[in-house]
Amino acid sequence: MNNLIQKYNIPGPRYTSYPTVPFWDNNGFTKQGWVGTFQRSFDESNAEEGISIYIHLPYCESLCTFCACNKRITKQHSVEIPYIDTVLKEWKLYVDLFSSRPKIKEIHLGGGTPTFFSSENLKKLIDGIFEYADAAEGYEFSLEGHPNNTTKEHLQVLYDLGFRRISYGVQDYDLKVQKAINRVQPFENVKRATEEAREIGFSSISHDLIFGLPHQTMEGMLETINLTKQLNPDRISFYSYAHVPWIKGVGQRGFHEEDLPTPELKRALYEEGKKMFEEMNYFEIGMDHFALEHDSMYQSMKEHTLHRNFMGYSSSKTQLMVGLGVSSISDSWYSFAQNEKTVEEYEKSIQNGELSVFKGHILSEEDLIMRRHILNLMCNLETSWADESMRFDDVERIKTMLQGMVDDNLIEFVENGLIVKEQGRPFVRNVCMTFDKRMIDNEPETRIFSMTI
């Protein structure tokens, strides 16, 4: 395995979209073009499946130095109401573009720290969304919670609003690691937040763990997983730390490069963690996710309905995802659009009655074909070009690029398709990269992605 890690551990995208953001053709993008695909997608899909909404809540009281998300650090909670008022104004701008009343299948509150906001203000936000919308059948509402500041009141209010999934950012229980990433949270806080969510009735509780953080050791990782076992979350996200200080600057320079595990140790942390999760009756799903058999994500994997977008893996799919809030990305399937990245610029455009979109990408027919193949690989570890709608011109090039992975027994080609073998799962991003025509045709001159392994 170490030889394979050395061979395939290269910079590569995480494929929450295709094309990936660095390869968007912003020159061919206009707000008018985005609105056109947005309205088309809504008309095609709202009645049958509804839409998804991602709401970015960027505020945090302290900076976690491992985090690559868009955030604003402050202890001034006076920012809550003006920000929520702006998000609701943005939502109304989108509502005015709809041809009928929207049905919401998914809501996800991300951050930042959504539980930075008071329960009262989160209720104001969700009530404001549903002033102009209805919940779709089988809806699923979720949020990210910080164990240190998620209160029982937060949980009860959100449960009453229809939320049933919560994901707690745990990362690691080793105090040395926690101090290095400026994320000190005792096990007792995670235990309290988990048990309170379970008592109130949340049906899916997830813990986010990260491997590859500074000062991590095998002993510390095993202790973190053993403590996680005591709380038995329904899902576990086991993420590879994305070290991208050239993008995020000082936020990811709270420690020295030599404090990071070697690539070999980092992969060993994952393999041992995966082994322990399997012993705990978790099933591996896609890339870096694990779930118990009763969880909806496991069920969607079995039924081949697993989806992946900017919110990560999802147990249900909607064609249209509306991103609200600073830096949020919307996805109409036919195009992507991203909001302004600073709170000030975002709020300014919305207050002026304009969508805050500042860049995006309109997908070509070729993009759409490659997007479907990459989604198939990321969600189902296989893809096929047998159907006319999935055919493309580069099959022989891809076969040539992947011959080494065939020789290493990581994948196999079948008639008009390919399958990623179980031993090839850690390298699925490498497989996807051969389908990434945008990246291949525009090879970056500098490093822009984290390592694949």
Side-chain angles (χ1 to χ4, degrees), residues 57 109 114 117-126 154 158:
L57 301 172
L109 305 182
F117 289 75
S118 71
S119 57
E120 179 183 14
N121 285 332
L122 291 176
K123 184 177 189 305
K124 176 182 178 180
L125 172 63
I126 302 304
H154 276 124
L158 289 165

Side-chain angles (χ1 to χ4, degrees), residues 233-340:
D234 304 279
R235 299 181 188 178
I236 295 172
S237 298
F238 197 38
Y239 294 117
S240 169
Y241 166 56
H243 190 58
V244 288
W246 58 90
I247 297 176
K248 292 300 177 180
V250 69
Q252 288 204 353
R253 292 195 184 277
F255 40 84
H256 301 292
E257 300 282 332
E258 56 266 28
D259 296 330
L260 296 171
T262 64
E264 292 76 19
L265 174 56
K266 185 179 180 183
R267 198 65 213 171
L269 293 173
Y270 175 81
E271 293 297 337
E272 192 61 33
K274 174 183 174 180
K275 177 183 175 184
M276 291 183 70
F277 297 144
E278 290 174 348
E279 291 171 353
M280 293 156 59
N281 296 318
Y282 288 90
F283 292 86
E284 189 169 16
I285 295 170
M287 181 186 73
D288 54 40
H289 281 61
F290 298 81
L292 295 174
E293 191 170 2
H294 68 263
D295 192 87
S296 61
M297 186 168 282
Y298 172 79
Q299 299 301 327
S300 66
M301 180 193 72
K302 295 293 287 184
E303 296 165 7
H304 275 211
T305 57
L306 192 66
H307 187 56
R308 185 170 174 84
N309 55 28
F310 288 103
M311 296 186 288
Y313 284 110
S314 171
S315 57
S316 63
K317 168 196 165 294
T318 62
Q319 183 169 305
L320 178 62
M321 184 183 77
V322 182
L324 302 176
V326 63
S327 78
S328 284
I329 298 176
S330 296
D331 177 1
S332 71
W333 180 255
Y334 305 108
S335 68
F336 302 113
Q338 183 169 22
N339 283 350
E340 293 283 357

Side-chain angles (χ1 to χ4, degrees), residues 13-17 285-288 306-309 313 371-383 420 425 427-433:
R14 289 178 177 263
Y15 291 112
T16 52
S17 74
I285 295 170
M287 181 186 73
D288 54 40
L306 192 66
H307 187 56
R308 185 170 174 84
N309 55 28
Y313 284 110
R371 181 181 190 183
R372 287 194 286 268
H373 283 298
I374 288 172
L375 268 175
N376 287 343
L377 289 164
M378 293 298 293
C379 294
N380 303 317
L381 301 177
E382 63 182 41
T383 194
V420 179
R425 186 189 287 266
F427 309 102
V428 65
R429 290 165 66 186
N430 300 73
V431 180
C432 291
M433 287 168 68

Side-chain angles (χ1 to χ4, degrees), residues 351-402:
Q351 297 307 327
N352 288 337
E354 302 174 356
L355 294 177
S356 184
V357 170
F358 84 104
K359 73 174 183 178
H361 179 86
I362 307 295
L363 279 78
S364 66
E365 287 301 317
E366 183 179 62
D367 287 339
L368 287 167
I369 291 171
M370 292 307 183
R371 181 181 190 183
R372 287 194 286 268
H373 283 298
I374 288 172
L375 268 175
N376 287 343
L377 289 164
M378 293 298 293
C379 294
N380 303 317
L381 301 177
E382 63 182 41
T383 194
S384 168
W385 44 88
D387 187 85
E388 180 73 28
S389 65
M390 297 291 281
R391 290 177 192 163
F392 56 97
D393 296 331
D394 290 344
V395 173
E396 292 308 315
R397 174 187 60 78
I398 287 174
K399 284 184 175 181
T400 299
M401 293 179 71
L402 288 174

Side-chain angles (χ1 to χ4, degrees), residues 48-59:
E48 293 297 322
E49 64 183 20
I51 69 171
S52 297
I53 297 178
Y54 170 78
I55 305 175
H56 191 72
L57 301 172
Y59 295 104

